[in-house]
Amino acid sequence: MQNKLAAGVATWAAMTLLLASPLLRADEDISKINGSIRVASGRQVGSVETVNGSIQLGDSVRADNVETVSGSIDIGHDSSVGDIDTVNGDVTLDRNTKADSVEVVNGRVRMDEQAEVRGNVTNVNGRIILAKGARIGGHLENVNGDIELEAATVGDGIKTTNGDIEIGAGSRVDGGIHVEKPDFNFFSSKRKPKITIGPNAVVNGTLKFEREVELRISDSATVGKIVGATAIKD
C-alpha cells in the first residue's frame, strides 16, 4: 500500500512539473529585451515581444500580438496572430496565415498565398507584396516603396506617396487608389510613380492623384473615377 501511495505521489508530482513547464503552458507571454525568439510549430502562446532581435513563429501557431523594435518577423503557415509590429525589419506571412494588422516603419512586407490581414497594413519605407489569393480587410498604405498585388484583394483602398503600384491580373481593390503629394521635401521625389492596373483587375472607388504619375490601365480592367491623371490604355 505504501509503495502504491508513493508511486502515486511521484506520478502526480511529475505531471505537475510537466504542466508547469513553459514549453507546454498555453497562452504564456514571451518577452525579451535582447535576443531573438522562436516559437515551435503547433504552440498556443500569448504576446511575443522583444526589443533587439527577430521573431520566428512556426507553422500552425496561435499567438496574440507579435512585436519587435529591431528585427524581422516571420509567421509560419496556417498560423493566427494578433497585431504585428516592427520598426526595423521585414514581415513575412506564410500561406494561409491570419493576422489582425501589420505595421512597419522600415522593412518589406510580404503576404504569401491565401494569407489574410483582417485590418490594415501600413508601412513607411518598404515594399509591400501580396501573393495570389492574399487579402487585406482594411487599407494598404506606405510612403516609399512599391506595392504589388497578384490576384489579391484589398478591402479599403491603397495609398502611397512615392511608390509604384501594380494591381495585377484578377486583383480587386475596394476603396480606390490615392497617390498623395509629399508634405515635406524629405519625402519628395521627382520620379513619377508608375500605376499599373492589369487585365481583369477591379478598382472600385476614386483613383485620386495629387502628383504627376504614369497611369496604365488594361482594356479589360474595371476602374472608378480618375482624378488628376490621364490613363494610358494597354
Side-chain angles (χ1 to χ4, degrees), residues 32-36 50-54 68-71:
K32 284 186 176 182
I33 299 297
N34 294 302
S36 298
T50 185
V51 176
N52 296 303
S54 61
T68 183
V69 175
S70 296

Side-chain angles (χ1 to χ4, degrees), residues 45-161:
V45 298
S47 295
V48 183
E49 299 177 358
T50 185
V51 176
N52 296 303
S54 61
I55 297 175
Q56 181 180 4
L57 272 59
D59 303 331
S60 301
V61 168
R62 300 292 180 269
D64 294 332
N65 297 339
V66 181
E67 181 177 350
T68 183
V69 175
S70 296
S72 61
I73 297 176
D74 294 290
I75 312 295
H77 67 74
D78 297 294
S79 295
S80 180
V81 301
D83 298 327
I84 297 173
D85 192 346
T86 182
V87 176
N88 296 300
D90 297 341
V91 171
T92 302
L93 276 63
D94 206 339
R95 66 183 188 276
N96 297 316
T97 289
K98 292 179 173 57
D100 287 342
S101 69
V102 175
E103 185 173 350
V104 179
V105 177
N106 298 299
R108 185 197 69 173
V109 176
R110 178 176 175 85
M111 296 173 58
D112 286 334
E113 293 186 1
Q114 306 300 324
E116 179 182 357
V117 174
R118 291 174 280 260
N120 303 324
V121 173
T122 61
N123 197 352
V124 177
N125 299 301
R127 190 177 182 187
I128 303 174
I129 305 168
L130 275 63
K132 185 176 181 180
R135 174 177 173 76
I136 296 174
H139 65 257
L140 171 59
E141 179 179 350
N142 74 355
V143 176
N144 300 300
D146 297 344
I147 295 174
E148 301 176 22
L149 277 64
E150 179 186 349
T153 302
V154 176
D156 191 23
I158 294 176
K159 182 188 293 185
T160 189
T161 302

